[in-house]
């Protein structure tokens, strides 16, 4: 699957931190059931790659990938685990070079206009704005539109149930990333129905200039 097809699969990409491996599959099932198939498993815990492996094997409708890619070896590790994409919070030489050796569709992170232009020079026109709210949020993305309209973003970090529709209404936003659809307390309580209803609400918003 191409990166654009993945980014267009749903308006919201859940940003997931798996602490307990046994939660990975039911959490993924709950999010997919709510209409959010694209799942970013952050490489921040010891079980993250095992979580990717379990979801890839047991939740066929999920499009599971990794986030928090900060080292070259993450690409091969993610591919071996069955990840379908890789997201990074940044855009280092090391990560760019490793991404070229990997078949995984890759979304690098940027925070400034210069980083966005550097990404474009490197051949990336789909970018994560991270951390989006701290980078200037909606105002920053609006300011990018006129000088660099060819770049499209998945803003992540500080995107919330209150503001995500406003992000999605921007023409240079394909989707948003956020952790609010998989809150730690709901995961800990194994409250999968709450997660499905959060996902359903998020999935009802569509990008493309329309407010939900
Ligand atoms: C993260 O790095 O954890 C993501 O950007 C999610 O941020 P959020 O918790 O503000 O959605």
């Amino acid at each position: 699957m191409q990166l654009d097809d993945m980014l267009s699969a749903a308006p919201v990409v859940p940003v997931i931190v798996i602490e307990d491996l046994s939660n990975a599959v039911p959490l993924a099932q709950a999010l997919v059931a709510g209409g959010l198939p694209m799942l970013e498993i952050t490489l921040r815990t010891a079980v993250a790659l095992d979580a990717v492996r379990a979801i890839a094997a047991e939740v066929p409708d999920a499009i599971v990938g990794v986030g928090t890619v900060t080292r070259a070896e993450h690409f091969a590790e993610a591919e071996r685990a069955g990840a379908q994409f890789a997201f990074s919070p940044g855009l280092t030489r090391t990560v760019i070079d490793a991404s070229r050796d990997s078949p995984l569709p890759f979304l690098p992170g940027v925070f400034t206009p210069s980083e966005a232009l550097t990404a474009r020079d490197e051949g990336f026109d789909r970018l994560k704005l991270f951390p989006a709210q701290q980078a200037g949020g909606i105002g920053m993305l609006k300011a990018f539109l006129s000088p660099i309209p060819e770049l499209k973003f998945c803003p992540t970090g500080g995107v919330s149930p209150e503001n995500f529709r406003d992000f999605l209404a921007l023409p240079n936003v394909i989707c948003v990333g956020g952790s609010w659809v998989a809150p730690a307390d709901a995961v800990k309580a194994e409250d999968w129905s709450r997660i499905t209803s959060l996902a359903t609400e998020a999935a009802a918003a569509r990008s493309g200039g329309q407010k939900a």
Side-chain angles (χ1 to χ4, degrees):
M1 193 184 249
Q2 300 294 311
L3 184 60
D4 265 7
D5 295 329
M6 292 184 186
L7 296 175
S8 308
V12 178
V13 180
V15 177
I16 297 168
V17 180
I18 297 285
E19 302 283 356
D20 179 342
L21 183 57
S22 69
N23 290 329
V25 166
L27 172 59
Q29 287 168 334
L31 290 164
V32 171
L36 301 182
M38 173 97 171
L39 308 177
E40 176 187 340
I41 308 297
T42 57
L43 297 180
R44 298 182 196 172
T45 62
V47 297
L49 288 166
D50 286 333
V52 171
R53 203 168 282 114
I55 294 166
E58 296 179 46
V59 191
D61 292 335
I63 306 165
V64 63
V66 296
T68 323
V69 167
T70 57
R71 299 174 187 278
E73 59 267 30
H74 286 159
F75 286 92
E77 291 168 355
E79 191 192 348
R80 275 200 298 276
Q84 292 172 266
F85 64 85
F87 282 9
S88 178
L91 179 79
T92 65
R93 183 80 263 149
T94 305
V95 166
I96 291 170
D97 288 347
S99 79
R100 299 206 199 287
D101 293 332
S102 170
L104 297 181
F106 175 55
L107 195 78
V110 300
F111 188 82
T112 66
S114 293
E115 290 174 4
L117 291 175
T118 300
R120 190 186 65 180
D121 288 350
E122 295 284 349
F124 299 100
D125 58 5
R126 301 292 183 263
L127 307 171
K128 178 165 177 161
L129 181 69
F130 178 81
Q133 213 45 352
Q134 291 84 345
I138 287 164
M140 179 72 143
L141 288 159
K142 279 187 179 163
F144 279 173
L145 251 182
S146 176
I148 38 176
E150 68 276 29
L151 299 183
K152 309 280 186 219
F153 295 88
C154 177
T156 305
V159 181
S160 70
E162 290 72 39
N163 66 20
F164 80 108
R165 292 180 183 84
D166 294 331
F167 277 101
L168 289 168
L170 300 172
N172 54 351
V173 169
I174 309 185
C175 59
V176 301
S179 63
W180 86 89
V181 286
D185 61 335
V187 174
K188 198 160 195 282
E190 300 181 20
D191 189 350
W192 311 126
S193 62
R194 182 177 155 216
I195 287 173
T196 294
S197 67
L198 287 167
T200 304
E201 196 184 330
R206 298 300 321 176
S207 57
Q210 298 293 315
K211 297 222 174 172

